[in-house]
Amino acid sequence: MTPRIVEVRRNILKHNDELARRLRTQFQEAGTLVVNVVSSPGSGKTALLERTLTQLRQSCRPAALVGDLATDNDAARLARSGAPVRQITTGTLCHLEAHMIETAIAEWNLSEIDVLFIENVGNLVCPSSWDLGEALRVVLMAVTEGEDKPLKYPTIFNSADLAMLTKIDLAQAVEFDKRAAETNVHSVRPGMPILEISTKNGEGFDDWLNLLTAHTYAHT
Ligand SMILES: Nc1nc2c(ncn2[C@@H]2O[C@H](COP(=O)(O)OP(=O)(O)OP(=O)(O)O)[C@@H](O)[C@H]2O)c(=O)[nH]1
Ligand SMILES: [Mg+2]
């Protein structure tokens, strides 16, 4: 790679970081908890958010943005919860960027949103470098993907605040080694909390909702 290209990339990332910092301040001032959900394609991000939005709507005001290269299928799934939802289609881009979040929320009144979920584009590589102004970054890892993902994609696990082992209802069927997975997560990010969750049978949902509630800003 030539030095010129490296420099352009660095400038783009710097611009993203500055905007993300401004967004983070805006979210904090509005009292909106922003959660960036990342994983490889098909690990269960939308399924997790479908159930989460439906349950959270009983006690607070959640909303969601969802990024995909194409289609608004995931937005349609999430909108069935009744929460405000917007799809961001990225075309050829493998991650969301801060300016896309800024545009997508432009018409929303943040003070009316307690928790904003951002489902990132399914990818364990690109989203790790792009700050979206979130307060929490959650990385999902489905039991069907094997235990070694943290070792192969350390950057995303290292930049996350919480790891989730999803599709835990399938763990036995695919002979998933939970202890090995936890060891791998902690070898990359010592001490990171790990939740086990199933959107099929609801396992782990109470812990997940409690964790969100603990991070939600108190509204007066
Ligand atoms: N058994 C089981 N299947 C699940 C669970 N969560 C999701 N799935 C299934 O996994 C598949 C993919 O789930 P999605 O929620 O669409 O995954 P995603 O991460 O949003 O996928 P992309 O948006 O394409 O990256 C679907 O067929 C879901 O029904 C779970 O907890 N248990
Ligand atoms: Mg999805």
Side-chain angles (χ1 to χ4, degrees):
M1 196 184 291
T2 67
R4 167 90 185 113
I5 293 174
V6 172
E7 192 185 319
V8 170
R9 284 228 175 121
R10 225 179 264 140
N11 285 342
I12 292 171
L13 277 172
K14 186 163 171 264
H15 177 72
N16 185 82
D17 283 350
E18 283 164 5
L19 180 52
R21 219 171 294 142
R22 283 207 300 279
L23 283 174
R24 185 168 286 109
T25 306
Q26 200 182 327
F27 293 141
Q28 280 167 351
E29 284 173 359
T32 306
L33 172 69
V34 179
V35 184
N36 183 3
V37 181
V38 292
S39 81
S40 47
S43 305
K45 297 179 293 300
T46 310
L48 171 76
L49 295 183
E50 279 179 294
R51 193 167 176 143
T52 304
L53 289 173
T54 303
Q55 290 197 218
L56 275 186
R57 265 172 59 78
Q58 295 165 19
S59 56
C60 73
R61 301 165 299 177
L65 301 175
V66 50
D68 281 296
L69 270 69
T71 84
D72 59 3
N73 295 352
D74 283 2
R77 284 169 63 188
L78 296 177
R80 286 201 292 263
S81 67
V85 173
R86 289 199 68 177
Q87 178 81 45
I88 301 171
T89 42
T90 61
T92 53
L93 216 58
C94 53
H95 59 269
L96 291 175
E97 298 182 9
H99 71 90
M100 299 172 184
I101 306 304
E102 185 184 42
T103 305
I105 61 168
E107 284 163 24
W108 280 350
N109 181 354
L110 284 180
S111 62
E112 293 173 358
I113 300 173
D114 299 315
V115 190
L116 172 63
F117 296 96
I118 304 174
E119 177 182 335
N120 219 313
V121 179
N123 187 323
L124 278 179
V125 184
C126 315
S128 56
S129 312
W130 298 85
D131 185 2
L132 303 180
E134 71 267 25
L136 279 181
R137 185 176 288 192
V138 181
V139 60
L140 271 49
M141 167 181 166
V143 298
T144 46
E145 295 167 20
E147 302 84 4
D148 59 354
K149 292 301 158 289
L151 303 179
K152 289 185 175 173
Y153 303 93
T155 318
I156 195 78
F157 282 86
N158 196 30
S159 69
D161 302 291
L162 171 72
M164 268 192 178
L165 305 179
T166 61
K167 309 190 188 182
I168 204 74
D169 54 292
L170 300 176
Q172 221 173 346
V174 296
E175 297 181 0
F176 183 71
D177 184 341
K178 232 185 279 180
R179 190 162 299 175
E182 286 167 1
T183 303
N184 291 341
V185 169
H186 287 146
S187 73
V188 173
R189 185 73 189 259
M192 178 152 70
I194 303 174
L195 290 184
E196 299 170 15
I197 203 146
S198 166
T199 56
K200 293 289 174 196
N201 64 19
E203 188 179 340
F205 250 80
D206 286 348
D207 289 342
W208 166 233
L209 295 178
N210 287 340
L211 185 142
L212 288 172
T213 306
H215 283 87
T216 305
Y217 298 92
H219 284 265
T220 47

